[in-house]
Amino acid sequence: MTRIRRFVAITAIAASVCCSGCTVIPASGPYTVDEAGAGDPLSKPFQRMIAIEPQPSWSPEQTIRGMQAAMAAYPDDPETLLKYLTPKARAKWNASGPVAVIEDQYEVVPDASRDGTETVQKVSIKGRWVAAIQEDDSYLPTVGGMDRVYDLVKNPKGGYLIDALPNELVLTASDVARAYRPTNLYYPSRNTQDRLVVDRLRLRLKPTERFAQTVLERLLEPPTGALQGAVLSSFPPGTKIESVTSGEERVVINLSGPLDLLDLSAEDALRAQIRFTLNKNDIAKGRIIEIQVDGEPYTVDRPNSDENWLSNGGESAYYISKGALHSLGKDGPMGAVPGAAGEPREGYEDFALSKESNASIAARTATGISVAGLTQEGRWQEVIPGTDLTPPTWHRDGSLWTYDRANAVLLRYDPAGGRGAERVAAPKLVGLDVTKLRIARDGVRVVVATGKNTVQIGALTGEGAGMMLGNFQALTTTEESDEVVDVAWEDDEHVLVLVKSSKAVQILNQINVGDGETVGVPLKDRLESLAALEDRILAESTTDKGTKILELNQDRQNWTPKVETNAGAPLFPLG
């Protein structure tokens, strides 16, 4: 935006504030100024907050609101906020802690419940927490009431100053929506290095820097705590982003640092990290991506390049009828699979399907978990004994996992290992009532349901004998009287959680595992289990005539019957 256009914008905003009759903050501020970027493919348009310093005529309540506005502007204007503080507070305060996010509608009130003096006035900000943006840029939703008390003293020049301030920035949800953007970064998995894992965070827009540069510079840093130890980087330490430029058909990224120009595998992973990070954030927009090192050509990534870095392990749908596995096409049933897996059988439940390239089916029985290949010669064979195991789940590397509730241990069975099930460390699960455990198709993230109403997200860290399940973060906790019926991975970012409430009403939520964003899915029929893959969601429904398979329509509002009778336990490979 040009200097003249910015002046016009400020004048217009000031006029609108004045006309609105706002008395909390005078017409002189704060302002939001539209920043350039709408026509730049490497940038994101946004509004920058311009705060004003405390005014001699302001009350204590107005001063607190002005301070909060100055917090929203602080990253771009650190000086104005400091003018709200006494010298003592200024010497102690810093913005090193997490960013506290509160609802837009908050109160600023004198705090009569706490003792003040003639020289100190206590004022509270009261509202509700929304989230915290951690120092690693992760966005963690929070709940509950917020009550911050501030001590204000008279300013010799008139008005008030704040005498103590916690080491944090308090922003409203609108402040965050204006200045931050949800961003997906991609890192290679540590345990299967042919697959990328998405890391979702919030990045602050910078007026002096293209968003593409902001994103790529963050990609050079370690992932958020949720993926620490679970992913790698194709960028060697010391790599820098020297410049990011674009034309109509090409984005040029110039790197510097100790890159090995002869390591083709590293080149492929680096290109994939950059490609998916830019494309999934709608930055490159179908352009050719040229990567340089010290200004010299290094590699080129073209639109519609190989997508195997985000492979899901197969796309076919299946279901169970009378204990036999059947294929499910887009238009309906396609018959039973060959071999023992396609034969009717009693006493088998909680089925799981491996990658399609060498597909096997696993099921839980009264004595353990059994496996059968989807071939004419395939036969059922018990591979993990146990009488109190969670439903099985496959890893993309071909191993089969379950949690032994009786012995409180996580078990992994590798068909290629020639040994029985081996223990995998999961210290944070000890003492918890683990009811469900499902590994994501990326081979890293794991969703775990504990008790009746809690769902957590963890990650498989390390590799080989050093692999463990950790990095747990809460995903959702329902009311104590509710019960989690089923969980299923929809894609790399989203988990579906089916809950039965105390009123016998079911709720189906799609939850983003990176930032907790939740979207409800309408329900009409009673559901028993779920399976999902990208834009397809299947469910088993119980009726007076038995069970049937439903599929959620593309409008995400209605369900269509796919198999009307004797059909349940829908399945997709992995997830």
Side-chain angles (χ1 to χ4, degrees):
M1 179 179 291
T2 65
R3 198 170 183 178
I4 294 176
R5 287 178 62 198
R6 289 189 179 184
F7 175 77
V8 171
I10 290 175
T11 303
I13 294 170
S16 67
V17 172
C18 182
C19 292
S20 70
C22 175
T23 58
V24 176
I25 301 294
S28 55
Y31 306 122
T32 55
V33 177
D34 289 324
E35 291 291 339
D40 183 351
L42 302 186
S43 297
K44 298 283 185 181
F46 72 106
Q47 290 183 319
R48 179 163 58 93
M49 177 70 78
I50 298 181
I52 60 174
E53 60 188 65
Q55 302 296 300
S57 61
W58 283 1
S59 68
E61 294 81 5
Q62 289 174 311
T63 302
I64 292 297
R65 287 194 179 272
M67 175 207 69
Q68 194 281 313
M71 284 186 169
Y74 178 80
D76 303 317
D77 172 20
E79 297 301 321
T80 299
L81 177 60
L82 299 180
K83 294 178 181 179
Y84 282 81
L85 308 181
T86 63
K88 180 185 76 173
R90 195 179 306 160
K92 294 182 178 180
W93 183 83
N94 65 72
S96 60
V99 173
V101 186
I102 61 174
E103 290 183 348
D104 290 345
Q105 303 302 319
Y106 66 89
E107 294 183 285
V108 179
V109 295
D111 199 313
S113 65
R114 295 172 173 87
D115 293 334
T117 66
E118 292 185 2
T119 58
V120 177
Q121 297 203 31
K122 293 183 177 292
V123 179
S124 289
I125 289 182
K126 296 180 181 290
R128 297 198 65 80
W129 296 115
V130 172
I133 302 177
Q134 303 293 325
E135 293 169 273
D136 63 1
D137 301 309
S138 58
Y139 183 91
L140 301 181
T142 57
V143 295
M146 179 263 201
D147 186 354
R148 282 284 193 273
V149 182
Y150 300 92
D151 291 348
L152 286 87
V153 296
K154 279 281 189 179
N155 185 351
K157 299 180 180 179
Y160 293 85
L161 295 175
I162 297 159
D163 202 36
L165 191 65
N167 289 335
E168 64 180 4
L169 294 175
V170 178
L171 306 187
T172 66
S174 290
D175 292 333
V176 172
R178 176 174 52 248
Y180 290 75
R181 291 294 179 270
T183 307
N184 287 348
L185 306 182
Y186 288 83
Y187 298 88
S189 165
R190 178 179 293 276
N191 56 60
T192 55
Q193 297 178 21
D194 61 343
R195 185 58 157 76
L196 293 179
V197 183
V198 62
D199 194 15
R200 189 169 178 85
L201 36 75
R202 288 292 195 281
L203 288 184
R204 188 181 64 81
L205 299 166
K206 301 177 183 178
T208 59
E209 184 175 279
R210 283 176 160 181
F211 189 58
Q213 179 126 1
T214 301
V215 170
L216 292 174
E217 287 182 347
R218 179 60 183 83
L219 186 63
L220 298 181
E221 300 176 19
T224 63
L227 293 179
Q228 285 286 334
V231 296
L232 303 170
S233 176
S234 58
F235 299 92
T239 304
K240 294 182 179 180
I241 308 294
E242 295 296 337
S243 64
V244 183
T245 58
S246 70
E248 291 185 4
E249 299 180 352
R250 185 178 299 263
V251 174
V252 180
I253 301 166
N254 185 26
L255 308 175
S256 66
L259 288 106
D260 186 349
L261 304 184
L262 300 179
D263 188 343
L264 297 182
S265 61
E267 173 192 327
D268 192 28
L270 182 147
R271 187 171 60 241
Q273 273 195 267
I274 290 177
R275 175 208 313 163
F276 287 104
T277 296
L278 293 184
N279 288 343
K280 294 295 186 178
N281 291 296
D282 196 28
I283 296 175
K285 297 184 178 179
R287 289 170 167 78
I288 295 171
I289 300 173
E290 179 184 335
I291 302 170
Q292 301 177 347
V293 175
D294 296 324
E296 297 296 328
Y298 175 53
T299 187
V300 174
D301 186 80
R302 300 185 182 280
N304 304 317
S305 298
D306 182 16
E307 296 286 330
N308 285 340
W309 283 95
L310 295 182
S311 165
N312 288 317
E315 299 180 352
S316 300
Y318 299 83
Y319 68 95
I320 302 297
S321 178
K322 299 180 180 180
L325 181 66
H326 290 247
S327 296
L328 177 62
K330 290 288 183 77
D331 299 322
M334 297 176 63
V337 302
E343 299 171 357
R345 188 173 298 267
E346 294 183 357
Y348 284 58
E349 60 184 5
D350 296 323
F351 295 83
L353 194 68
S354 70
K355 288 175 66 173
E356 275 190 308
S357 57
N358 188 21
S360 294
I361 186 77
R364 187 170 61 165
T365 70
T367 61
I369 291 175
S370 294
V371 172
L374 302 192
T375 64
Q376 194 65 51
E377 299 77 23
R379 294 292 180 266
W380 285 103
Q381 176 186 2
E382 185 171 277
V383 296
I384 305 178
T387 58
D388 195 8
L389 306 175
T390 60
T393 182
W394 291 92
H395 191 282
R396 63 182 298 108
D397 68 3
S399 59
L400 184 65
W401 298 60
T402 184
Y403 192 81
D404 184 343
R405 292 159 47 89
N407 297 297
V409 293
L410 179 62
L411 298 176
R412 174 184 185 269
Y413 168 72
D414 183 1
R419 298 183 297 272
E422 299 177 323
R423 296 187 177 191
V424 177
K428 294 296 183 181
L429 296 183
V430 176
L432 299 182
D433 179 21
V434 178
T435 58
K436 300 180 187 299
L437 183 148
R438 286 196 179 184
I439 301 173
R441 294 180 177 93
D442 61 22
V444 168
R445 283 197 167 93
V446 181
V447 58
V448 177
T450 58
K452 291 180 60 178
N453 61 350
T454 299
V455 180
Q456 301 181 71
I457 295 294
L460 293 172
T461 64
E463 52 193 318
M467 185 182 295
M468 67 174 291
L469 176 56
N471 294 3
F472 281 103
Q473 296 180 346
L475 183 67
T476 183
T477 300
T478 66
E479 298 292 334
E480 187 173 346
S481 55
D482 296 346
E483 180 179 356
V484 174
V485 177
D486 201 9
V487 294
W489 284 97
E490 182 177 2
D491 54 35
D492 289 355
E493 295 183 70
H494 299 96
V495 165
L496 297 171
V497 180
L498 178 64
V499 174
K500 180 179 70 175
S501 75
S502 57
K503 299 179 181 179
V505 175
Q506 285 193 327
I507 301 167
L508 178 57
N509 285 328
Q510 178 204 64
I511 307 177
N512 189 302
V513 300
D515 59 16
E517 182 181 24
T518 300
V519 177
V521 178
L523 293 180
K524 180 180 179 182
D525 299 88
R526 175 186 174 86
L527 304 184
E528 302 296 335
S529 66
L530 301 166
L533 177 62
E534 300 296 346
D535 60 347
R536 295 191 70 188
I537 299 177
L538 300 174
E540 173 187 341
S541 175
T542 301
T543 68
D544 295 338
K545 300 179 181 179
T547 58
K548 63 181 179 180
I549 299 294
L550 305 175
E551 181 165 0
L552 183 64
N553 295 349
Q554 291 297 307
D555 62 9
R556 295 263 165 158
Q557 296 298 314
N558 299 290
W559 296 77
T560 299
K562 302 298 289 187
V563 188
E564 295 281 5
T565 58
N566 295 322
L571 296 162
F572 286 104
L574 304 178

